[in-house]
Amino acid sequence: MASSETPAEPMSIGEVAERTGLTVHALRFYEREGLLVGPVRRTSGGWRRYTTVDVEWLQICVRLRESGMPLADLKRFAELVRQGQGNEAERLRLLDAHRQRVEEQIQALEECRSLITWKVAVYAEHLARGAAEGLWAPTTT
């Protein structure tokens, strides 16, 4: 989501949950685990107030987690971002390793899809002919 789509004023935890797709519980977990790039500000009454930057970072985190990035890697990435300039090569290595894992998962899924597509075609052909002969079936003895 672009900054222009996110309000400039601080947002409540409920608003951030709605914008990111994370639950309030997950947002608290992310904060406890050090997965945010900055401290979450609080009102004088102790209510969390998130910024546009917090929301944009959380949206990145959501995508990285959805793509299977381990929590430990996400935590390390957040640590590196918080540290600021000078560790970009390590950030790149971490992201590139994750990209490679995602590419391998995509390849495996494409192979699975190919097999499923072939099997669907086999069943469709047999059903169209009205015959089940030639379809795999366990033997009984």
Side-chain angles (χ1 to χ4, degrees):
M1 180 180 297
S3 297
S4 62
E5 298 174 19
T6 306
E9 70 273 359
M11 292 164 270
S12 70
I13 196 168
E15 291 169 320
V16 173
E18 187 177 311
R19 291 179 189 285
T20 61
L22 293 168
T23 64
V24 168
H25 177 75
L27 287 166
R28 290 183 183 127
F29 173 80
Y30 271 45
E31 184 179 353
R32 266 194 323 274
E33 291 297 311
L35 297 171
L36 300 175
V37 290
V40 175
R41 290 175 176 54
R42 304 263 182 158
T43 66
S44 58
W47 296 93
R48 288 172 176 84
R49 300 307 285 170
Y50 293 86
T51 65
T52 300
V53 171
D54 295 325
V55 170
E56 290 171 352
W57 172 256
L58 285 164
Q59 289 169 333
I60 291 168
C61 290
V62 165
R63 291 293 178 236
L64 291 172
R65 288 293 292 148
E66 284 177 348
S67 64
M69 179 178 269
L71 203 51
D73 287 354
L74 183 56
K75 193 171 188 174
R76 179 64 182 147
F77 186 55
E79 248 174 52
L80 293 168
V81 170
R82 278 193 304 274
Q83 289 172 10
Q85 292 182 342
N87 59 27
E88 292 81 3
E90 188 174 351
R91 292 186 215 179
L92 175 60
R93 279 191 299 275
L94 195 147
L95 290 171
D96 194 47
H98 181 61
R99 182 193 54 78
Q100 183 60 41
R101 284 190 304 269
V102 169
E103 292 291 337
E104 290 167 5
Q105 291 170 348
I106 290 169
Q107 179 62 38
L109 285 171
E110 286 175 346
E111 291 170 11
C112 292
R113 180 177 55 191
S114 178
L115 177 117
I116 293 166
T117 299
W118 167 74
K119 202 62 176 166
V120 164
V122 168
Y123 273 77
E125 177 186 334
H126 281 273
L127 286 172
R129 287 190 322 214
E133 292 86 30
L135 293 176
W136 179 87
T139 59
T140 56
T141 53

